[in-house]
Amino acid sequence: MASTVKHEPTRKRLKFNEWGRSTAFLVMGTFGGHKVDKSIQLEGSDALVGRSVGGGQSLVLSEACSLKMGRSVLELWLLWSVVMRVMIALPIAYSASSTSSQEALLVSRIAFGSCANQSAPQVIGTWDDHDYGLNDAGKEFNGKITSQRLLLDFLDEPQDSPRRKQAGVYTSYTFGPVDRQIKVILLDTRYHRDPLFSDGSILGSSQWTWLESELKGPASALTIIGSSIQVISNLSAITGPIFYLECWGRFPKERERLFKLIADSKVRDGVFFISGDVHFGEITRYDCATGYPLFDITASGITQAVEKAVPPPLNFIVRFVAWLAPTTMRVMGQHCRRKSCTYGQPNFGAIEIDWDATPVTVKMEVRDVNGFPVLSVNTSLLELQAQSVGALYSIKPGEYRKHCSLEVTLPWIVRHRLAILFFCALASKLS
């Protein structure tokens, strides 16, 4: 349900701690569906990440967001695909001097500023389809140059920034002291993406060249790669032909190239992904790519979630389908609130790093709007270091290995059991 967000005076700025403190706390999720004073519907798509350090205080973004971050003090917001749809997706050709464009930019700033408590010293990010300007759009979208300018204006990107001169909004940042550095790489999965079902390119040649230089550059303790669409999970392999979702799995050559590039970047361990787009939470892992588990934390739906799209009495159907859907990459276990280990209610993600632990621990969670974990994985920097790459590629054709066998390799009747159930139910209804 949309909330009314009122522009409030700037609150007292919180005191920000040093990056070198003992605990790092990152938050990610989805914005969307808010209304502001002028009744303009703001719809963002997917994903938000913040960085904070334990501060002993309870931070609530706002009543409109209904999201409790727990004991944390925000220091950095990293958001992708959070630019409001009203800015760039209306069928209007905005110009740089367009009054409508400026008003929409102001309105979306007000909505985001209220939810962010206006306390973050820096906001960085990228986009997904609805922020880009058209559902499931790629390089064919004619308004992408205007969309890029509006996104970078929204993010307060300097006028002389390289991002304003390149084709696409990809970029990277490095935070923290040398021994505790976190590198954040933000991909642009829209500007250069070939059509769906083409198995073409997602990133385009210029972005691939840039990404290779980023991954083969100076090492960091952790590297977070932000992709607006899921990297590890390939739900389309099991939900088709009923429906298809966007993901790297639909471009298998590109995904294999990405995995190989990470594996070949010998100086860079500790890589994992954060993603959104699908309107539910999920944690997946792939063990047969880099010599250590590659995790993908999908936090999708602070305000827009799949169970919100159906009447509450029908939520059990959504949960049943999620449980029935076969999966090879999803992390299953006792730390899941639902049997399917997905979460279809509004959610956000949290990544907590304890630098003082031996070895350094990394906790990855998807949490509900009250801040309670619904999905959780505990790992360490030691486990995110390459051990024996050669052994990972020894899986035999037809062999099944958890977190290694791709969804497309499942037996036909298992892979398509959702479709079989759907068409059987449909035939029964029509008979």
Side-chain angles (χ1 to χ4, degrees):
M1 180 176 179
S3 303
T4 300
V5 181
K6 295 183 178 180
H7 185 37
E8 301 177 4
T10 303
R11 299 173 177 83
K12 184 177 180 181
R13 186 174 294 275
L14 298 173
K15 294 181 179 180
F16 303 114
N17 295 312
E18 301 286 341
W19 275 93
R21 291 290 292 276
S22 62
T23 304
F25 187 71
L26 301 94
V27 183
M28 59 185 180
T30 301
F31 261 142
H34 289 298
K35 286 184 179 178
V36 294
D37 292 343
K38 292 188 178 183
S39 300
I40 298 178
Q41 184 72 23
L42 301 180
E43 298 180 62
S45 1
D46 286 322
L48 172 90
V49 167
R51 154 73 167 71
S52 67
V53 178
Q57 300 183 25
S58 177
L59 175 65
V60 181
L61 268 72
S62 73
E63 290 182 1
C65 291
S66 301
L67 177 63
K68 299 178 181 178
M69 291 297 185
R71 294 181 300 170
S72 57
V73 178
L74 291 181
E75 292 193 14
L76 167 74
W77 284 98
L78 185 168
L79 56 147
W80 73 97
S81 45
V82 74
V83 181
M84 307 306 175
R85 184 181 299 176
V86 69
M87 288 176 54
I88 57 180
L90 295 179
I92 300 174
Y94 291 138
S95 66
S97 60
S98 169
T99 301
S100 298
S101 175
Q102 293 172 356
E103 181 181 78
L105 180 63
L106 174 62
V107 166
S108 53
R109 279 186 178 279
I110 291 172
F112 177 73
S114 175
C115 287
N117 209 22
Q118 298 185 351
S119 61
Q122 185 178 8
V123 177
I124 61 178
T126 186
W127 54 22
D128 197 31
D129 51 351
H130 294 165
D131 322 298
Y132 181 57
L134 190 67
N135 188 53
D136 293 351
K139 67 181 184 182
E140 74 283 354
F141 177 55
N142 293 328
K144 60 186 179 183
I145 295 177
T146 300
S147 294
Q148 178 170 345
R149 186 183 73 249
L150 289 171
L151 172 71
L152 298 180
D153 287 346
F154 175 80
L155 295 174
D156 283 329
E157 194 76 20
Q159 291 299 316
D160 60 351
S161 168
R163 294 179 86 185
R164 292 187 180 273
K165 301 177 178 64
Q166 68 188 25
V169 298
Y170 54 89
T171 190
S172 71
Y173 304 84
T174 301
F175 304 99
V178 174
D179 59 337
R180 295 180 176 181
Q181 281 189 341
I182 299 175
K183 186 177 183 68
V184 178
I185 297 175
L186 303 180
L187 302 178
D188 184 335
T189 63
R190 296 292 164 187
Y191 202 100
H192 301 280
R193 200 213 68 202
D194 286 329
L196 297 172
F197 298 102
S198 70
D199 196 13
S201 182
I202 293 179
L203 302 184
S205 59
S206 58
Q207 188 173 183
W208 272 116
T209 300
W210 167 84
L211 180 58
E212 181 176 1
S213 67
E214 291 292 320
L215 289 176
K216 293 186 177 180
S220 56
L222 283 170
T223 298
I224 302 172
I225 299 179
S227 169
S228 66
I229 57 176
Q230 290 185 300
V231 179
I232 303 298
S233 182
N234 182 12
L235 290 175
S236 289
I238 57 177
T239 59
I242 306 174
F243 63 90
Y244 294 92
L245 299 172
E246 290 187 280
C247 63
W248 279 74
R250 295 183 67 179
F251 295 80
K253 294 178 182 177
E254 286 283 275
R255 185 168 68 168
E256 183 61 30
R257 181 178 180 179
L258 178 62
F259 292 158
K260 187 177 186 304
L261 179 58
I262 295 172
D264 290 344
S265 304
K266 304 298 183 182
V267 299
R268 188 170 304 283
D269 292 330
V271 177
F272 61 90
F273 302 100
I274 50 178
S275 61
D277 184 64
V278 291
H279 299 276
F280 62 84
E282 180 182 41
I283 300 177
T284 51
R285 64 179 280 181
Y286 186 45
D287 292 351
C288 289
T290 60
Y292 59 88
L294 276 178
F295 287 94
D296 187 353
I297 303 94
T298 301
S300 183
I302 286 179
T303 57
Q304 295 182 358
V306 63
E307 291 186 19
K308 292 290 186 179
V310 299
L314 299 181
N315 282 344
F316 79 95
I317 298 178
V318 177
R319 297 173 190 177
F320 173 74
V321 170
W323 171 80
L324 184 65
T327 177
T328 61
M329 301 299 173
R330 188 178 303 151
V331 176
M332 310 291 287
Q334 60 182 356
H335 300 296
C336 302
R337 182 172 298 182
R338 308 278 189 246
K339 289 184 179 295
S340 65
C341 282
T342 63
Y343 189 71
Q345 290 287 336
N347 65 85
F348 67 97
I351 302 164
E352 187 173 358
I353 305 156
D354 187 347
W355 296 109
D356 287 343
T358 305
V360 175
T361 60
V362 182
K363 181 187 294 184
M364 307 171 183
E365 293 181 330
V366 175
R367 300 182 180 181
D368 63 19
V369 293
N370 294 311
F372 296 112
V374 294
L375 308 170
S376 180
V377 168
N378 294 317
T379 185
S380 69
L381 285 188
L382 184 62
E383 294 174 347
L384 299 180
Q385 295 176 359
Q387 304 296 325
S388 177
V389 175
L392 293 176
Y393 294 98
S394 61
I395 185 170
K396 299 177 182 178
E399 178 185 357
Y400 172 79
R401 185 182 300 176
K402 187 178 181 181
H403 303 309
C404 193
S405 300
L406 300 177
E407 292 93 341
V408 294
T409 65
L410 288 170
W412 187 90
I413 196 168
V414 174
R415 179 180 167 191
H416 294 290
R417 65 189 181 199
L418 282 181
I420 294 171
L421 177 63
F422 173 79
F423 288 116
C424 287
L426 183 63
S428 175
K429 185 71 174 178
L430 295 176
S431 62

